[in-house]
Amino acid sequence: MSKSTESKDILKGLQKETLQDLYLKEHPDKRGEKLSKTVMVGKMTKTIEETGIKALFTNVTREHLQQLVEESKTQLKAGETKNSKVVLMSRLSGAIGKGTLEDFLAEHASEDLLHKIAQDLDVDAEDEKKEGLLKDIVEVVHSLALESYFGGFDVDLLQDVADDLKIQTHNSHNKRKLVEAISTRKDIDKAPKAKKQKVDDGGKKKKAIKKGITYEEIFQHYYVTEVRDFCKDNGLKTSGKKAALIRRILAWLDGDDESTKAKPKDASSKKASSSSTKRSSSKKGSDKDEEAEEEEEDDEEEEEEEQTATTTTTTTSDKKDAKKPSSATTTNNTATKKDDTSKKAAQTSSSSSTNASNTTTSTGTSNGSTTTPAPSSTAAAPKAEN
């Protein structure tokens, strides 16, 4: 069976929907047209063969392609040179035409040239004859063709192809494995479940942390919580990560107490702090009530002070008003006293001419009332002066 027939068999084994999806990926302009499965298989088979030829010529050196052009008597166009690998590939592809690569090599390539091509493809065929060489080369080219062709599709479409071909993929999303499985039509091996690796301690118990133990032994056999607990139990500093804790333990085991020991805290301050914390926590609720009561008392005191201030202001105002008539009365009394004094002086100076004296009774003040002098007393003073 030729390799082109194998490619065709792979394509024929696909459902029409899957085949159509592959075909429209290469020919999007055909979307919407009625596609025949036979036509699609024929065109796709030809595409795979062309892909294989291109893969072969890409891997073969320019010197070997030049030798194939000479042996096959492939003509170059005017102006073209054999030094261009692109030109050589194009002319050889055209020479193969509608035929197959296998037939072309069998007819035109010498056994020596086939050995060289096999070496370019990393095919170990030193002792093989032309027929064996040709078979090996065609198989490699066919694998390259299928891998290159199906490698152009996404994983989901490759999964559909594998399902149609009854290939067990175990829901693999590895594109390379899917392409290889389709090309060889072999199932993908089920990946074994990864087992958890157990630490081999040789069946021995943990080595006690004491002088002589190494960093690696502590790090490998003790968790960080265990290392920190050891530091706490021995009065060492417990800050830092596992590596720092281990180094601190090793230093302490070597006799370094100064840099490894935790600083002791003041017991009295600790107790005071503890009791203060307890008191504050136990009286948290009562403090709030006391604060509320104090606020109420402050409000009441402020109200009382405002009322007192208002009363004081009113009393002061009343007193000022009461003092006003008293001030007027005092003024009248002072004027009356001045009149009395002048009258007495006049009476004293005129005592030699007259024995009669008129006594002028002055006013008396009772409950804030004032009495003015009588007119008769005022009239007697001028007579005494005459």
Side-chain angles (χ1 to χ4, degrees), residues 4 48 53 68 76 85 101 121 129 132-133 142 174 177-178 241 244 284 298 311 321 332 336 346 357 362 364 367 372:
S4 60
I48 293 173
I53 293 170
L68 183 58
L76 302 181
K85 190 173 181 178
L101 175 65
L121 298 175
K129 300 297 181 181
L133 289 169
H142 181 66
N174 188 313
K177 289 185 176 181
L178 288 171
K241 296 184 179 181
K284 186 180 290 184
D298 292 340
T311 304
D321 294 339
N332 292 334
T336 304
S357 63
S362 197
N367 296 327
T372 57

Side-chain angles (χ1 to χ4, degrees), residues 34 96-97 101 133 189 212 218 223 262 316 322 333 352 355 357 360:
K34 187 176 180 180
I96 295 172
L101 175 65
L133 289 169
D189 294 334
I218 299 177
Y223 292 105
T316 304
N333 289 338
S352 60
N355 294 324
S357 63
T360 304

Side-chain angles (χ1 to χ4, degrees), residues 150-165:
F150 286 107
F153 302 108
D154 56 50
V155 172
D156 292 335
L157 192 50
L158 293 176
Q159 283 281 6
D160 294 339
V161 172
D163 291 341
D164 291 350
L165 297 175

Side-chain angles (χ1 to χ4, degrees), residues 4-15:
S4 60
T5 304
E6 289 183 13
S7 300
K8 189 176 292 185
D9 289 342
I10 291 175
L11 297 174
K12 284 183 178 180
L14 303 178
Q15 298 290 333

Side-chain angles (χ1 to χ4, degrees), residues 20 26 30 87 115 173 201 206 261 272 285 290 310 322 368 379:
Q20 185 170 300
E26 295 181 291
K30 301 294 183 180
V87 171
H115 272 291
H173 286 77
D201 57 359
K206 290 181 180 179
K261 284 286 188 178
E290 290 177 0
T310 304

